[in-house]
Amino acid sequence: MLLLPSSFPILSLLIFSPLLGAVGAALLNNDRWLRWWSLGVTLVIAVLSLELYLGFDPGTAAFQFTEQTPWVPALHINYAVGVDGISLLLVLLTTLVMPLTVLASWRYITRRVKEFMVCLLIMETAMVGVFCALDLVLFFVFWEAMLIPMSLLIGVWGGPRRIYASLKFFVYTMAGSVLLLVAMIALYLQAGSFSIPVLMGRAYAPGFQCWVFLAFALSFAIKVPMVPFHTWLPAAHVEAPTAGSVLLASVLLKMGTYGFLRFCLPITPYATQVLMPYMLGLSVAAILYGGFAALAQSDLKKLVAYSSVGHMGFATLGIFALNSQGIEGATLQMINHGVTTGALFIAVGMLYERLHTRDLHQASGLGRAMPVFTTFLGVFALSSLAFPGTNSFIGEFLVLTGGFARSKWMIVCAVPGVVVAAAYMLRVLQKVAWGGLDNPTHPGLKDLEPREVLTLAPLLVFVFWIGLHPEPFTRVMHASVQHLLTQVTQSAAYASASLR
Amino acid sequence: MTVATLQAFLPELVLLLGALGLFVVCLGEGRGRRARAVASGVALLAVGASAVSLTQSGVLFDGTYRVDAFSQLLKVVLAFGYLLVMLVSRRLPAIRGEIQPEYYLLLDLSVSGLVMLVSCVDLITLVVALELAAFPLYLMVPMRLEAHGQKSQMEGAIKYVMFGIAANGVMLFGMSYLFGLTGTTSLPLLFPRLQPLMHSPLALVGLAMTFCGLYYKLAVFPFHFWTPDVYQGAANETASLIASLPKVGAVAVLIRLVSLSAPDNPPLVLFMTVLACASMFYGNLIALQQTDFKRLLGFSGIAHAGYALIGFVTLDRAGYSAALYYIVGYAFMVLACFTVICHVAPDGENLSLEQLGGLHRRSPLLALTLLVGVFALAGIPPFVGFMGKFNLLVAALGRGHLWLVIIAMVNAAIGVYYYLSVVREACLREAPERAPIVLPWSSRLLCVLLIAAIVVLGVAPGRFLDSVATSVACVNAAPSMAPAALVAGGAR
C-alpha cells in the first residue's frame, strides 16, 4: 500500500507533546497553574491537529503524514505512524475533546489535581497513538498503556464504587487482549512483519482468518462494547469523574469500532464476510438492549451509559453492513457519538456539581432555574435520539440505508431501537425541563457560568455542523472507505475462490 | 598470570578482594557502618570492572571457565544488581548491629558466586560456583532478628537449606549420569558426545535431573516450596536479594545446560512445558489469595519462573535470549517492589498489603516506583515486563507452541488481578493518615534508577536485546571458536 510520508513529523508531535505536557505538569505545584497549563497544552495540540485536516489530501486512500523508523529490529518492529481518512477524524475528535475534558474538570477535581492532569495528558498520548499507529505492536503498546491512566482516573477520582469499577474495567480489557496478542504474533509469523499496511496486503488461509478475526473481535467487542461484553461499561461510566466518562464515551469506545475497521475488515476479509451475519445480529441486539436498558434507568449517567451501548450498536451495524453507506455512516456515527454523548456526560456532570445527585426525579424541573443549561441539554438530547437536523440523524440514516441494502430483516428488528431512543431521551427532557416545579432546592441554583458554556458550545456547533452540512466530514473519509471496501470484497473473493 | 587474564578476571577479582576486605572489617567490633561503606564501594568498583572487561573473551583454568560476551554481559547486569541491592540494604533494621559486617560479607560472597557461575563451562566449577552463591544466602536468612513470638526466619532458613541441599543432590545425581555417559564434565566436550546418545532414557533423565537444581533456584513448580516461606521469613533486604539476582544466574546456567539438549528433544520439551504451565497456574492462582506483600511476590515469582521457562521450551537462541531478557527485566521489577517494602516497613517487619495504604500521600516517589514495578510485573506496556513477555511469546509461537502461548496469556490476565490489588491498596483506597516517608538521597537515586531501568528496557529494548542475542549465540560454542591468543592456558 502507498504511504505518503510527510516532511514534518506532525503525528509524532501530536502523540508525544501531551507526554511532555505531562512531565511539565508533574513539575508544577500550584493547582491553578496546573489547570491553565493542561488547558494550554491540550488547546495547542488541538490547534496543531487542525493542520492535519488542512494538509490532508482527501483524494487518496493512502496513509498520509507517515513516519517510520526501526524500533526493535530483532523482531521487525517499527515505529510507524500515519493516518487515513478514518483515523484522521478520530484523531481530530480526540484532540478536540481533550480541552473540553480539562474544562469540565475545572471545579470538579479539587483533590490531587496534579496527578489528575498528568493522567489526562498521558491518556491523550495513548489515544492519539492508537489511532495513528501503523504497526501492530505499537498499536498494542498504546492500547494497553492506556489502561493504567484510565483505571487510575476511575479509581482515584471516581464515585463511591470507584475501586470496583476501575478493577473491572482493567481486568475486562486485559482479558480481552489476551487473544489479541496471540493473534498478532500469529499474523507476524505468517507475514513476517508487524506493519499494518503489509499485513493488509497479504492473503491468509480461510481457517486462519477466522481464528484471527475472532481473537481480534473479542478484544474490540469488549471495548465497543457489544452485547454481551458490555457489563463493564455502566460501572465504569457511572463511577468515573466527568472527564473520565467523556474520554470513555468519546474516544475509548471508538477504539473498538476503529479496530474492526482497521484490522478485522482489511486483514481478515474472508472471515469478515463469513461472520458478518453474527456481528450484525449482535449489533441489533446491542441497539435493542441498550435502548430498553436506558429506558429503565433513573440515574442519568447510567441512562447515558446504556444509550451508548445502543448507539455503538449502530456503529457496528454500519461497519458490518459492508457497503459504503454503512461504513461511512458508522464512521460518522462514531464521531457523532463522541460529540453527543460526550456532551451529555459533561451536562450530567454539571448537574451533579450543583445537585450532588444524578437522580432523574430530583433533577426535575430545572427549566425555569437553569434555562441555558436546559437548552443545551435539549439540543444534545435531540441529537442523541437522531432528530433530523442534528448530527446523529445523518449517521443513523446512512447506517440504516446501508444496513437495509445488506439485510432488510436486521433493519426491521433495529428500528424499534430508534423509537426507544426517542422515548428515553424525551423522558429525560420532559422531566428535567418541565418536570415537578415543587423541588425546593431548585430556585437557588445558578445557571451555567461562562466556562461551562464554553465547554458545551463547541460540541453544540458540531451537532449542527454535522447535522446540516456533513460534507467536510464525509469528504475526507470517502476515498479510504472505498478502498477498504475493495480490500474486503476482492480479498474475500480470492479467499473463497481458493477454498473451492 | 598474564595481564590479559587479569583483565578477563577483573570483576571476580574485585568481588573476591572485596570479600577479603570485608572479612578484615568483620574482625573488629561495631563496624557495621564501615562494612557497608566497603561493600558499597566494592559494588561500585564491580560495576566499573565488569564494564571495563565487557569485551573480554578467553578461556581460563584449564578450560573450565570461559569469559565470553555472554558471561561478561551478565556480569555487568549482576554487578549493577549488586549495587542496587546495596542501595536497598542501606539500613538493615532487622539485622542485629554486631553481625551486620558479616551480613555484608556474605552478600558480597554470594554475588561473587553468581558472577563466577555465569562463566563456568564445567560441571564441577558450576557446582562450586552454585554453592558459593547459595551458602551465604542460607546463612543470611536466619540472621534476621526474631520477630515477636515467632521464628519464621528459622522456618524459612531450614526450608531453604533443606530444599537447596536436596535439589543439589538431585542435580549432582543427574550430572553423574551425564559424566557416566560421556566421560567428561566439560560442557563444550559434553555437547558433541551427548548428541548421539540424546534419545537414550539415561541421557534424558540425566539432563532433566541436572535442570532440577536450577529449577529450584528459579522456583519452578514443584521445586518452589521454599519460596513464599523464605521471602516471608527472611529480612526484607535479604529477600530482595534472593528474589532477584540468583534467578538471573539460574537462567544463565540453564541456558548453558538446556542448549545441550538442542536442537530437537520432544521429551524434555514436554517436561519443561508441563513445568512452565504448572508454575504459571500455581503461582498466579495462589497469589490471588495473599495478603502479605512478600508472600504475594513469592507466588508471583513462581509464576514468573514459569514465564521464563517458556523461552527454554523453544530450544533455540531466540527463546534463550527472550528468557534472559525477561529475567533481567524481572530482577529490576521485583527489586522495585522490594525497595518499596524496605522503605515502608521502617522496623523491617513484614508488610501486609493494607499497610501500603495511603502510600501516594506518604511518598509519591515510592508510590510511583511501586506502580511501575507492579504494572511491569503485570506485563503492561510500555514497561519491560510487556516487552519481555512479548519476546517469549514470539519465540514460543515461532516454534509452534500455540497452547503454551495461550496459557501464558491467560495467566497474564489472571495475574493482573492481584497486581491491581496492590495498586488498589497503595493508591486507590482511602487509608488512615500515616506519617510521610522521607527518603534519603540514596533511596531516591535507587527509585529513579529502577524506574529508568524498567522503562528504558521496555521502551528501547533494541540494543540490549541485540547484545543478549549475540551473547547467547556464543554459549557452548566449540572452544576453537575463541581467539587462540586469548586461550590463557597458563592461568594456573
Side-chain angles (χ1 to χ4, degrees):
Chain A
M1 177 182 279
L2 202 63
L3 298 175
L4 298 177
S6 73
S7 50
F8 179 70
I10 182 159
L11 287 180
S12 293
L13 198 67
L14 285 179
I15 295 173
F16 292 109
S17 40
L19 204 59
L20 284 179
V23 173
L27 299 176
L28 290 173
N29 268 327
N30 182 316
D31 286 358
R32 234 179 102 79
W33 292 1
L34 268 164
R35 293 191 179 104
W36 282 106
W37 167 258
S38 314
L39 185 65
V41 169
T42 49
L43 273 177
V44 166
I45 293 165
V47 171
L48 256 177
S49 68
L50 290 181
E51 183 60 29
L52 218 56
Y53 182 84
L54 298 176
F56 189 82
D57 174 10
T60 165
F63 288 104
Q64 306 186 24
F65 308 104
T66 56
E67 300 162 37
Q68 182 161 348
T69 42
W71 177 22
V72 187
L75 291 173
H76 310 102
I77 303 174
N78 290 311
Y79 170 79
V81 290
V83 287
D84 68 351
I86 298 167
S87 45
L88 172 75
L89 288 176
L90 292 167
V91 170
L92 289 176
L93 176 70
T94 310
T95 53
L96 296 180
V97 161
M98 279 308 293
L100 305 183
T101 60
V102 176
L103 278 175
S105 332
W106 208 265
R107 293 253 184 287
Y108 184 72
I109 301 298
T110 50
R111 218 160 44 86
R112 292 157 81 180
V113 179
K114 181 201 286 191
E115 288 89 340
F116 183 85
M117 293 302 173
V118 168
C119 281
L120 220 52
L121 289 168
I122 294 178
M123 278 297 288
E124 184 167 15
T125 288
M127 293 186 301
V128 175
V130 159
F131 293 130
C132 293
L134 287 187
D135 185 282
L136 265 181
V137 180
L138 190 65
F139 170 84
F140 190 80
V141 165
F142 285 128
W143 171 276
E144 291 272 289
M146 186 175 321
L147 289 178
I148 300 173
M150 192 64 215
S151 62
L152 288 180
L153 281 178
I154 300 174
V156 177
W157 294 274
R161 293 176 72 218
R162 59 182 198 278
I163 294 176
Y164 164 78
S166 161
L167 293 196
K168 191 169 182 178
F169 165 74
F170 201 117
V171 172
Y172 228 118
T173 317
M174 209 35 212
S177 50
V178 162
L179 292 178
L180 176 63
L181 190 66
V182 179
M184 278 169 43
I185 300 173
L187 275 174
Y188 163 70
L189 293 171
Q190 288 262 325
S193 168
F194 281 112
S195 158
I196 294 169
V198 171
L199 290 172
M200 284 175 179
R202 298 284 161 88
Y204 310 93
F208 178 75
Q209 282 197 24
C210 287
W211 286 115
V212 170
F213 180 92
L214 288 175
F216 274 116
L218 176 68
S219 175
F220 299 146
I222 287 176
K223 207 73 168 191
V224 170
M226 295 174 84
V227 173
F229 304 111
H230 63 281
T231 55
W232 63 269
L233 181 83
H237 263 321
V238 170
E239 300 305 327
T242 303
S245 297
V246 173
L247 285 185
L248 264 177
S250 296
V251 186
L252 262 67
L253 305 192
K254 308 303 166 309
M255 286 164 31
T257 40
Y258 171 76
F260 281 122
L261 287 173
R262 176 65 73 239
F263 300 102
C264 288
L265 265 56
I267 294 180
T268 59
Y270 172 76
T272 306
Q273 301 251 351
V274 170
L275 296 167
M276 168 192 63
Y278 306 100
M279 301 307 286
L280 287 178
L282 284 180
S283 309
V284 173
I287 294 171
L288 294 178
Y289 176 88
F292 281 107
L295 198 54
Q297 304 304 323
S298 61
D299 181 328
L300 275 169
K301 242 183 169 178
K302 234 177 190 167
L303 188 148
V304 181
Y306 276 111
S307 83
S308 279
V309 176
H311 287 146
M312 292 311 286
F314 276 106
T316 48
L317 182 69
I319 291 172
F320 285 97
L322 297 183
N323 49 35
S324 78
Q325 289 99 337
I327 294 182
E328 285 189 15
T331 313
L332 208 54
Q333 187 64 8
M334 283 150 71
I335 307 297
N336 292 338
H337 179 260
V339 170
T340 305
T341 310
L344 282 172
F345 274 121
I346 295 177
V348 173
M350 291 171 176
L351 206 60
Y352 183 77
E353 283 175 48
R354 289 171 170 74
L355 298 176
H356 302 286
T357 172
R358 294 184 299 258
D359 189 77
L360 185 55
H361 303 290
Q362 297 196 36
S364 60
L366 288 174
R368 183 169 293 174
M370 301 171 64
V372 180
F373 172 81
T374 315
T375 311
F376 274 114
L377 186 70
V379 171
F380 293 127
L382 288 178
S383 152
S384 178
L385 63 83
F387 197 74
T390 62
N391 53 352
S392 303
F393 174 73
I394 309 284
E396 284 189 20
F397 183 77
L398 277 171
V399 166
L400 289 176
T401 318
F404 200 76
R406 176 62 57 193
S407 158
K408 290 189 188 71
W409 289 111
M410 287 291 179
I411 299 307
V412 170
C413 295
V415 163
V418 183
V419 181
V420 174
Y424 62 73
M425 272 304 162
L426 289 177
R427 177 169 152 259
V428 171
L429 211 53
Q430 184 258 330
K431 281 273 185 196
V432 173
W434 300 290
L437 285 174
D438 46 346
N439 228 334
T441 52
H442 283 176
L445 285 180
K446 265 196 278 180
D447 207 347
L448 300 189
E449 51 181 286
R451 169 185 61 86
E452 294 175 311
V453 174
L454 214 61
T455 316
L456 288 174
L459 296 170
L460 192 80
V461 171
F462 276 99
V463 165
F464 288 117
W465 188 359
I466 304 178
L468 300 172
H469 185 58
E471 198 267 341
F473 301 90
T474 49
R475 187 174 59 102
V476 288
M477 67 167 122
H478 190 70
S480 300
V481 170
Q482 289 307 324
H483 179 73
L484 182 62
L485 281 170
T486 35
Q487 278 178 321
V488 174
T489 43
Q490 276 178 359
S491 332
Y494 170 78
S496 52
S498 70
L499 203 61
R500 265 183 233 124
Chain B
M1 270 201 185
T2 62
V3 177
T5 321
L6 273 180
Q7 232 178 345
F9 202 58
L10 195 60
E12 290 87 334
L13 274 183
V14 167
L15 285 166
L16 290 175
L17 289 176
L20 276 179
L22 280 167
F23 179 69
V24 172
V25 174
C26 287
L27 296 177
E29 275 190 11
R31 289 179 171 174
R33 188 182 286 264
R34 186 174 299 169
R36 192 179 74 225
V38 172
S40 306
V42 171
L44 262 178
L45 277 178
V47 173
S50 57
V52 166
S53 58
L54 184 61
T55 53
Q56 295 288 323
S57 63
V59 178
L60 311 177
F61 311 131
D62 283 339
T64 60
Y65 196 89
R66 191 157 82 213
V67 175
D68 53 17
F70 178 72
S71 68
Q72 297 315 95
L73 179 71
L74 280 165
K75 280 172 198 171
V76 175
V77 170
L78 288 170
F80 186 57
Y82 178 35
L83 184 66
L84 294 180
V85 170
M86 275 311 299
L87 284 172
V88 173
S89 319
R90 188 179 49 89
R91 276 182 48 236
L92 298 181
I95 311 287
R96 257 187 305 135
E98 62 261 41
I99 54 171
Q100 283 190 5
E102 282 84 354
Y103 182 90
Y104 289 115
L105 170 63
L106 294 174
L107 178 58
D108 184 275
L109 277 175
S110 178
V111 174
S112 65
L114 289 173
V115 165
M116 287 187 231
L117 185 64
V118 296
S119 268
C120 292
V121 288
D122 189 287
L123 293 180
I124 307 284
T125 45
L126 207 113
V127 171
V128 172
L130 255 181
E131 300 295 0
L132 180 59
F135 271 85
L137 293 178
Y138 297 154
L139 290 173
M140 282 159 78
V141 174
M143 282 169 99
R144 186 185 198 182
L145 274 175
E146 229 174 79
H148 187 67
Q150 60 174 4
K151 295 191 171 176
S152 61
Q153 83 277 24
M154 280 302 169
E155 185 194 335
I158 298 275
K159 278 191 178 163
Y160 199 25
V161 175
M162 294 301 282
F163 277 104
I165 304 276
N168 267 338
V170 173
M171 186 172 72
L172 283 170
F173 196 61
M175 286 178 172
S176 73
Y177 276 8
L178 296 183
F179 177 69
L181 281 170
T182 60
T184 177
T185 55
S186 162
L187 291 180
L189 295 176
L190 204 69
F191 180 60
R193 292 193 199 169
L194 203 57
Q195 283 302 311
L197 308 165
M198 190 43 88
H199 296 288
S200 74
L202 210 56
L204 290 177
V205 170
L207 278 172
M209 288 173 97
T210 310
F211 298 162
C212 290
L214 296 156
Y215 290 161
Y216 154 80
K217 279 257 160 213
L218 205 54
V220 173
F221 180 91
F223 308 96
H224 65 278
F225 286 101
W226 58 273
T227 318
D229 294 316
V230 169
Y231 281 26
Q232 192 184 19
N236 296 338
E237 291 79 10
T238 319
S240 74
L241 172 66
I242 292 173
S244 54
L245 299 187
K247 304 208 169 177
V248 178
V251 165
V253 180
L254 211 51
I255 289 177
R256 289 208 195 271
L257 291 177
V258 170
S259 58
L260 289 178
S261 53
D264 184 40
N265 202 328
L268 279 180
V269 168
L270 182 67
F271 175 63
M272 289 192 284
T273 310
V274 170
L275 289 189
C277 292
S279 290
M280 289 188 282
F281 274 116
Y282 179 87
N284 277 325
L285 290 178
I286 308 246
L288 290 174
Q289 283 296 320
Q290 301 306 314
T291 52
D292 183 303
F293 194 13
K294 280 201 293 178
R295 280 188 83 83
L296 184 143
L297 286 176
F299 285 107
S300 110
I302 296 168
H304 283 277
Y307 296 132
L309 216 51
I310 294 173
F312 293 100
V313 168
T314 61
L315 290 183
D316 63 9
R317 279 176 197 165
Y320 302 149
S321 37
L324 195 57
Y325 172 62
Y326 190 74
I327 209 73
V328 170
Y330 174 76
F332 290 124
M333 304 185 244
V334 84
L335 270 177
C337 293
F338 272 106
T339 303
V340 174
I341 294 179
C342 292
H343 286 91
V344 175
D347 304 325
E349 72 272 20
N350 286 350
L351 202 65
S352 71
L353 288 181
E354 242 167 66
Q355 284 169 279
L356 287 171
L359 185 64
H360 60 86
R361 245 179 291 129
R362 301 178 70 195
S363 167
L365 183 60
L366 277 185
L368 184 65
T369 314
L370 183 71
L371 279 184
V372 170
V374 164
F375 279 124
L377 284 172
I380 309 291
F383 305 121
V384 64
F386 164 74
M387 220 13 123
K389 271 203 192 85
F390 185 74
N391 261 298
L392 284 170
L393 299 186
V394 171
L397 205 55
R399 298 281 294 209
H401 297 284
L402 177 64
W403 282 107
L404 182 60
V405 168
I406 290 179
I407 286 174
M409 280 309 294
V410 168
N411 268 286
I414 299 174
V416 162
Y417 184 77
Y418 62 83
Y419 293 123
L420 278 179
S421 64
V422 177
V423 175
R424 176 184 64 202
E425 296 299 336
C427 297
L428 305 187
R429 185 164 280 176
E430 293 300 329
E433 200 67 41
R434 295 193 179 99
I437 302 170
V438 183
L439 295 179
W441 67 268
S442 65
S443 304
R444 283 167 195 272
L445 176 72
L446 173 66
C447 289
V448 171
L449 280 178
L450 283 168
I451 294 173
I454 293 170
V455 172
V456 169
L457 278 181
V459 173
R463 284 197 62 181
F464 186 75
L465 261 179
D466 286 344
S467 44
V468 166
T470 45
S471 73
V472 165
C474 68
V475 168
N476 291 346
S480 60
M481 279 176 70
L486 278 162
V487 178
R492 280 156 293 163

